[in-house]
Amino acid sequence: MANTIKIAGDIRDEFGKGAARRMRVAKLIPATLYAGGDQPTFVKLPMKETTLALRHTNALFSISFGGQTKLAVVKDVQRNPVKRIVEHIDFYEVKAGEKIDVEVPVFVEGTPKGAAVAFVDLQELKVRADVANLPERIVVNVDGLTDGTKVLLKDVVLPEGAELDMDDPETSVVSVEVPEDATESTATAAAAPAADADAAAAAPAADAEAK
């Protein structure tokens, strides 16, 4: 489940590219905190601490600034396309006990049978959960599953307290299949002994003709 991460920031009263550049030089990240229909709050956050915190998917942030503290989740992160450093963050304010929709990445664990391989059909699932218990990932176990098996939305085991917010329960999340190249390799391997046997049988006949 998501971690609650405390970040101490400060009110931001400078705007524009020049101001943002000066903040980044000072190892700060400009950020905007949105709160429904209210006016957004502009803050600046410590670069190193905040960048490390962003590694956690769906983390709940407790952001303190100007004598107040707000709970928030990440709405959007803007990164430099070359250096990949964080240039700006949009947060969305939430309340304790509130349930929200989040996109949760899908991972697989286990090994299917034989040459079969698991393919993730849906990279993320839309899930509704309490802000204090947001899942970081959804794991689908494919151990022992055979070629042609599909794990559907209705089969996915969700973390405690979370519920799917998606329409079609028959949608495939993970497919287990034998890749075509694996099938071709198996066919080639099977054909090789037969070819060797034919060659061995033909050799005596060739010798007899030569005599």
Side-chain angles (χ1 to χ4, degrees):
M1 296 298 175
N3 302 298
T4 300
I5 300 172
K6 296 181 179 180
I7 299 286
D10 204 354
I11 292 290
R12 175 162 60 99
D13 53 13
E14 288 186 295
F15 305 93
K17 292 183 178 179
R21 191 179 302 112
R22 287 192 294 274
M23 275 184 270
R24 288 192 287 273
V25 170
K27 304 300 181 184
L28 297 171
I29 298 174
T32 303
L33 179 61
Y34 294 92
D38 297 336
Q39 283 292 105
T41 303
F42 304 100
V43 297
K44 47 190 175 183
L45 306 174
M47 182 176 289
K48 182 178 180 181
E49 184 179 356
T50 306
T51 301
L52 290 174
L54 290 174
R55 295 180 180 179
H56 298 278
T57 304
N58 296 328
L60 178 64
F61 284 78
S62 176
I63 304 173
S64 59
F65 56 92
Q68 58 184 318
T69 300
K70 300 285 188 180
L71 290 177
V73 294
V74 174
K75 182 179 180 182
D76 184 56
V77 178
Q78 297 174 23
R79 297 180 185 271
N80 183 287
V82 178
K83 298 180 180 179
R84 302 305 299 162
I85 62 171
V86 177
E87 294 190 332
H88 188 275
I89 306 172
D90 287 336
F91 289 95
Y92 182 78
E93 183 181 346
V94 295
K95 305 294 184 184
E98 181 181 354
K99 287 191 173 184
I100 63 172
D101 290 333
V102 290
E103 300 286 341
V104 186
V106 175
F107 290 80
V108 295
E109 67 176 9
T111 305
K113 271 192 173 182
V117 176
F119 297 93
V120 178
D121 300 324
L122 288 180
Q123 299 296 324
E124 293 181 325
L125 302 185
K126 190 176 181 180
V127 168
R128 189 168 184 80
D130 189 288
V131 294
N133 210 27
L134 298 176
E136 287 194 50
R137 58 172 57 192
I138 291 174
V139 179
V140 176
N141 192 316
V142 297
D143 202 40
L145 296 185
T146 56
D147 179 32
T149 303
K150 289 185 179 293
V151 180
L152 308 179
L153 272 176
K154 65 181 182 182
D155 303 320
V156 173
V157 178
L158 296 175
E160 185 178 353
E163 57 187 39
L164 278 174
D165 192 14
M166 300 178 71
D167 294 331
D168 188 359
E170 300 295 324
T171 301
S172 176
V173 179
V174 175
S175 299
V176 177
E177 301 174 4
V178 175
E180 288 185 11
D181 54 351
T183 305
E184 291 170 1
S185 297
T186 302
T188 301
D196 291 343
D198 291 343
D207 289 345
E209 288 177 5
K211 292 177 181 178

